[in-house]
């Protein structure tokens, strides 16, 4: 495991802390190409190559926030390609890495505009290296990798095409178990047709609110929506929402007893009698 005291990587990553203030020619650029390529490098199985990719990105002008964005996409792909043959509890391992990377990214964006914090680079370097290491350590969850919707011979044309029909089908999949891939394909269908992303996001939110969900489910939805906003309806953006949909579907349906509690409260507020024979 690489330590933040390692002179080469810390020296190189120190430049990222000043990237937003230095008049450098940023070859890395703020483009999906640079972010996406680094994310793919972070998914590799050679830790030395992963560190090398981070160093190269910084040398090309990447800031801490740039590195955080690539970390998030790589972590989202771990969820999007999570093999359903894994232990069900391993979903939480992938969840933790993605939500950690999102939190790091949000923190890095916040300090990037604070000149007083610009010279403090050890903490951001530590967070970035921790995220990169975590992504590396859970690579076994993608062996073999789950196929993304639309890959190879997976055709989406046979799925519903209107916003209303896609939404209805999506909510229906959350009523049944083992619908991870079906849910992911419906989200991909909506986005590839160019429908407004906020409508499929709202459908996912509604599906989540129906369940007796724990905070992990809400965390991954929030992190996924934040990261999708970084990319928009691009291939990486679609992969991020596919990751969210797969996780939520893997944890649905629940018993939905909280809905029963809400229904009882509503009936009582109307003055209804709950037990006619009481």
């Amino acid at each position: 495991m690489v330590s933040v005291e390692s002179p080469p990587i810390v020296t190189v990553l120190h430049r990222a802390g000043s990237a937003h203030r230095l008049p450098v020619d940023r070859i890395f650029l703020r483009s999906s190409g640079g972010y996406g390529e680094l994310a793919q490098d972070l998914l590799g199985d050679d830790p030395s190559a992963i560190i090398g990719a981070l160093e190269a990105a910084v040398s090309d002008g990447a800031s801490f926030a740039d590195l955080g964005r690539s970390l998030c996409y790589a972590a989202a792909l771990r969820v999007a390609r999570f093999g359903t043959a894994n232990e069900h509890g391993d979903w939480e391992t992938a969840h933790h890495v993605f939500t950690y990377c999102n939190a790091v990214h949000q923190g890095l964006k916040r300090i990037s505009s604070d000149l007083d914090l610009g010279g403090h680079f050890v903490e951001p370097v530590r967070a970035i290296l921790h995220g990169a290491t975590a992504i590396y350590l859970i690579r076994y969850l993608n062996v073999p990798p789950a196929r993304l919707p639309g890959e190879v011979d997976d055709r989406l044309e046979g799925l519903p095409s209107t916003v209303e029909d896609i939404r209805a089908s999506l909510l229906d999949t959350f009523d049944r178990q083992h619908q991870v891939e079906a849910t992911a394909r419906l989200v991909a269908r909506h986005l590839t047709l160019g429908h407004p992303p906020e409508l499929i996001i709202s459908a996912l939110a509604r599906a989540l609110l129906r369940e007796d969900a724990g905070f992990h489910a809400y965390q991954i939805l929030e992190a996924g929506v934040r990261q999708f906003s970084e990319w928009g309806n691009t291939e990486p953006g679609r992969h991020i929402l596919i990751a969210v949909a797969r996780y939520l579907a893997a944890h649905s349906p629940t018993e939905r007893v909280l809905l029963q509690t809400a229904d009882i409260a509503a009936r009582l507020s109307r003055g209804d009698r709950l037990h006619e024979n009481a």
Side-chain angles (χ1 to χ4, degrees):
M1 182 176 294
V2 179
S3 169
V4 296
E5 285 78 23
S6 175
I9 184 62
V10 169
T11 299
V12 173
L13 288 181
H14 184 197
R15 303 174 196 166
S18 303
H20 65 286
R21 294 184 285 120
L22 296 177
V24 296
D25 179 16
R26 298 186 62 199
I27 302 172
F28 183 81
L29 300 178
R30 293 184 176 276
S31 66
S32 58
Y35 295 124
E37 289 173 10
L38 177 57
Q40 293 298 328
D41 291 336
L42 293 172
L43 293 171
D45 56 8
D46 181 353
S48 296
I50 291 171
I51 296 301
L54 288 169
E55 292 176 334
V58 174
S59 296
D60 286 343
S63 67
F64 282 148
D66 293 330
L67 301 181
R69 179 171 165 180
S70 291
L71 279 177
C72 288
Y73 180 36
L77 285 173
R78 288 290 190 224
V79 183
R81 292 192 176 278
F82 181 95
T84 54
N86 290 309
E87 293 288 337
H88 191 269
D90 285 338
W91 278 105
E92 307 316 316
T93 302
H95 158 274
H96 286 314
V97 174
F98 175 55
T99 53
Y100 169 84
C101 288
N102 173 66
V104 166
H105 183 214
Q106 303 310 316
L108 293 173
K109 288 198 300 182
R110 288 180 173 89
I111 68 172
S112 66
S113 60
D114 190 333
L115 297 182
D116 291 335
L117 296 177
H120 299 273
F121 64 91
V122 173
E123 295 89 349
V125 169
R126 179 177 61 189
I128 290 168
L129 292 180
H130 186 91
T133 302
I135 292 168
Y136 167 75
L137 289 175
I138 65 168
R139 64 194 184 283
Y140 67 93
L141 297 177
N142 297 152
V143 180
R147 189 170 60 180
L148 295 172
E151 282 189 337
V152 194
D153 58 349
D154 180 28
R155 302 287 184 178
L156 303 178
E157 288 83 355
L159 296 175
S161 59
T162 67
V163 171
E164 294 76 15
D165 288 344
I166 293 173
R167 180 170 53 208
S169 296
L170 182 71
L171 293 174
D172 179 65
T173 63
F174 278 98
D175 287 333
R176 293 173 283 123
Q177 293 182 333
H178 311 301
Q179 299 297 307
V180 171
E181 308 308 335
T183 303
R185 296 179 77 240
L186 286 166
V187 170
R189 176 67 163 165
H190 178 99
L191 294 171
T192 55
L193 287 174
H195 295 317
E198 60 270 18
L199 296 182
I200 200 67
I201 290 172
S202 67
L204 289 171
R206 180 184 176 190
L208 173 59
L209 289 167
R210 296 188 308 177
E211 305 297 339
D212 301 336
F215 70 92
H216 281 182
Y218 288 99
Q219 275 185 325
I220 202 166
L221 177 63
E222 175 64 19
V225 172
R226 281 184 177 272
Q227 290 305 313
F228 178 82
S229 69
E230 297 280 340
W231 299 88
N233 193 2
T234 61
E235 181 175 83
R238 291 191 288 273
H239 291 165
I240 290 167
L241 285 190
I242 285 168
V244 172
R246 295 185 82 245
Y247 178 92
L248 296 181
H251 295 80
S252 298
T254 59
E255 293 185 9
R256 301 179 182 174
V257 294
L258 294 179
L259 286 177
Q260 182 180 11
T261 302
D263 179 63
I264 291 173
R267 291 167 61 190
L268 287 172
S269 69
R270 295 193 301 264
D272 294 350
R273 296 184 61 183
L274 299 182
H275 306 289
E276 293 295 332
N277 297 325

